[in-house]
Amino acid sequence: MQTHEDLFTSSSLGPSIPDIAERGLGPRDFTEMMRALGYPRHISMENFRTPNFGLVSEVLLWLVRRYEPQTDIPSDVETEQDRVFFIKAIAQFLATKAHIKLNTKKLYQADGYAVKELLKITSVLYNAMKTKGMEGSQIGEEDISKFKFDLGSKIADLKAARQLASEITSKGASLYDLLGKEVELRELRTEAIARPLEINETEKVMRIAIKDILAQVQKTKDLLNNVASDEANLEAKIEKRKLELERNQKRLQTLQSVRPAFMDEYEKIEEELQKQYDVYLEKFRNLAYLEQQLEDHHRMEQERFEEAENTLRLMQNKLKEEEKRLLRSGSEPGEPEAALSDKPAWNLSPPERPGTDNLQIILKIYEFGLRFKERPAGTLQ
């Protein structure tokens, strides 16, 4: 029984194309591209707020047929196995034909993540349409209508034209040879017309012709008699085949009514596999949610670190201004000797410090900022 695991093997097929984020395309660009490509329905990003596999499968099938109209991919997505086979067939087709690498996990989710994968296909078709439009603008409308045709529908006509051309060539060669003999044949024809008819010779030719016709009639009668005998043989064979068919149908009904010995074990294993698959899906959704939460946490932590670094820079500027102010105030007359000493303000003993309380607070903030700056990124609590 094929499970969800099987479709992940196709994600490694084909060379990769540039990431959608590197192109600067977003979900809203997808709706604009689909509208430009001529998709018959209106698509809104609200359609992908919740998983919508029906819409994703319809869009995928439309894009593939837009890329290759002659492709044959089954569109049945009613059961789980049909959906898995559909996604796998789409990924293999685009990897081999268009060299587009798709993430089948995100396509199977059929939500906002699937839109990023659909953008890979729509961007290729949209760029091709733009390139074709630019080339078409350089050619007149008359030339476009003159050379525009469907090559697929004209293949049979091309073959017939090629065959007729070869027949015309052979007939022309034979006609040329016959016309070259016209001089000799004209003389023979004139002599035959001028020669008087002989009754005996004419009667002889007529008898030969009648004899040939009678032989053909007899041959046709023999064939008709053989057809009757062949018809009887065919009817006998048909009757025999009918009897064999009835026996085989009865045998088939007998086999269908008998339950195989391993069917109970098969159903039990199938139920267990379904349970394991449900557990896998739940864990996969939880993992996607946790990855999103982790990404948000890292972003908030980076913002807090940048904010703390800005605060530390402001603290350093304030400390420098405070030190300059203390040095200027120490050089003024009337200040104590301790303020005029060569020691920095933070190396003085507590009785010698001018503005001791405020300076202690600033020094503590400065030390805290240094310790905070030395901590590696990603360790904020």
Side-chain angles (χ1 to χ4, degrees):
M1 180 179 181
Q2 192 176 18
T3 62
H4 185 63
E5 296 283 344
D6 295 337
L7 68 92
F8 298 151
T9 58
S10 64
S11 62
S12 61
L13 294 174
S16 62
I17 64 174
D19 193 1
I20 297 302
E22 296 177 2
R23 297 184 178 183
L25 300 178
R28 296 187 181 277
D29 296 326
F30 172 72
T31 59
E32 297 297 330
M33 287 182 181
M34 291 297 292
R35 188 181 298 110
L37 289 172
Y39 187 66
R41 291 178 52 185
H42 175 68
I43 299 178
S44 174
M45 291 312 301
E46 297 295 329
N47 299 129
F48 299 100
R49 296 294 182 187
T50 57
N52 191 350
F53 194 88
L55 180 58
V56 171
S57 62
E58 182 181 352
V59 170
L60 280 172
L61 193 60
W62 187 83
L63 291 173
V64 168
R65 288 179 178 173
R66 180 66 185 269
Y67 185 86
E68 180 62 47
Q70 303 298 330
T71 185
D72 185 14
I73 295 179
S75 59
D76 189 10
V77 292
E78 295 294 330
T79 63
E80 175 188 330
Q81 290 184 349
D82 293 336
R83 291 193 293 270
V84 170
F85 181 78
F86 176 81
I87 293 293
K88 189 174 181 180
I90 290 290
Q92 289 179 347
F93 174 81
L94 291 175
T96 54
K97 297 292 184 180
H99 301 286
I100 298 176
K101 178 182 177 182
L102 297 178
N103 191 327
T104 51
K105 290 183 181 179
K106 294 181 179 179
L107 281 177
Y108 195 83
Q109 287 180 250
D111 54 5
Y113 290 100
V115 175
K116 295 182 179 181
E117 301 302 314
L118 292 174
L119 265 171
K120 297 179 181 179
I121 312 172
T122 53
S123 60
V124 173
L125 294 175
Y126 183 74
N127 293 332
M129 185 183 68
K130 288 174 60 179
T131 305
K132 184 178 180 182
M134 293 175 63
E135 294 177 354
S137 62
Q138 299 175 359
I139 304 173
E141 294 181 357
E142 296 180 358
D143 295 337
I144 294 175
S145 61
K146 185 183 295 183
F147 294 104
K148 185 176 180 182
F149 61 92
D150 187 4
L151 185 60
S153 62
K154 300 294 183 181
I155 292 177
D157 296 339
L158 289 174
K159 292 181 178 178
R162 188 181 295 111
Q163 184 177 0
L164 288 174
S166 62
E167 291 180 0
I168 289 172
T169 303
S170 61
K171 296 293 183 182
S174 61
L175 180 61
Y176 178 80
D177 295 336
L178 293 175
L179 289 175
K181 299 178 182 180
E182 175 62 20
V183 178
E184 299 177 1
L185 295 176
R186 187 186 297 114
E187 295 178 358
L188 295 176
R189 186 169 59 251
T190 304
E191 292 179 0
I193 292 172
R195 186 177 57 186
L197 294 177
E198 295 182 0
I199 300 300
N200 295 329
E201 186 176 356
T202 305
E203 183 179 0
K204 182 178 179 181
V205 172
M206 293 297 294
R207 286 178 180 177
I208 293 173
I210 292 171
K211 186 177 180 181
D212 292 338
I213 292 174
L214 291 176
Q216 292 180 0
V217 170
Q218 186 62 33
K219 185 178 181 180
T220 304
K221 289 181 180 179
D222 295 337
L223 291 175
L224 290 175
N225 295 329
N226 293 332
V227 166
S229 61
D230 293 339
E231 184 179 359
N233 293 331
L234 289 174
E235 289 179 355
K237 290 181 179 180
I238 291 172
E239 189 67 24
K240 183 178 179 181
R241 295 296 182 182
K242 286 182 178 179
L243 295 176
E244 292 180 358
L245 178 61
E246 291 178 359
R247 286 197 299 268
N248 291 330
Q249 287 179 348
K250 291 180 180 179
R251 184 179 179 185
L252 177 61
Q253 292 176 358
T254 304
L255 293 175
Q256 289 178 346
S257 61
V258 176
R259 184 179 177 85
F262 59 86
M263 186 57 68
D264 295 335
E265 183 179 0
Y266 173 77
E267 292 177 353
K268 183 178 179 181
I269 294 174
E270 190 175 14
E271 292 177 359
E272 184 178 354
L273 180 60
Q274 182 64 33
K275 292 179 181 179
Q276 294 295 331
Y277 177 68
D278 295 338
V279 172
Y280 168 75
L281 284 182
E282 182 178 359
K283 290 183 178 180
F284 178 76
R285 293 193 189 99
N286 293 336
L287 178 60
Y289 174 76
L290 291 176
E291 287 178 352
Q292 182 66 29
Q293 293 295 323
L294 180 61
E295 185 178 351
D296 296 341
H297 176 70
H298 286 168
R299 186 177 64 256
M300 293 175 62
E301 192 175 71
Q302 183 66 24
E303 292 176 357
R304 289 174 58 188
F305 177 74
E306 292 176 357
E307 183 179 357
E309 190 175 2
N310 294 332
T311 305
L312 179 60
R313 192 178 296 109
L314 293 175
M315 289 179 183
Q316 289 176 349
N317 294 332
K318 289 181 180 180
L319 285 173
K320 290 179 181 179
E321 293 177 359
E322 184 68 20
E323 183 179 358
K324 291 179 181 180
R325 187 181 63 79
L326 292 175
L327 291 175
R328 286 197 301 270
S329 63
S331 62
E332 294 179 359
E335 291 293 330
E337 296 179 357
L340 298 175
S341 63
D342 295 334
K343 298 180 180 179
W346 52 81
N347 288 335
L348 297 176
S349 59
E352 297 175 347
R353 296 176 186 171
T356 305
D357 296 335
N358 295 333
L359 187 56
Q360 287 180 354
I361 294 173
I362 293 172
L363 287 175
K364 288 181 179 179
I365 294 173
Y366 181 70
E367 292 175 358
F368 172 76
L370 289 176
R371 290 196 302 270
F372 184 83
K373 188 175 182 181
E374 292 174 355
R375 298 175 64 183
T379 58
L380 292 175
Q381 300 296 331

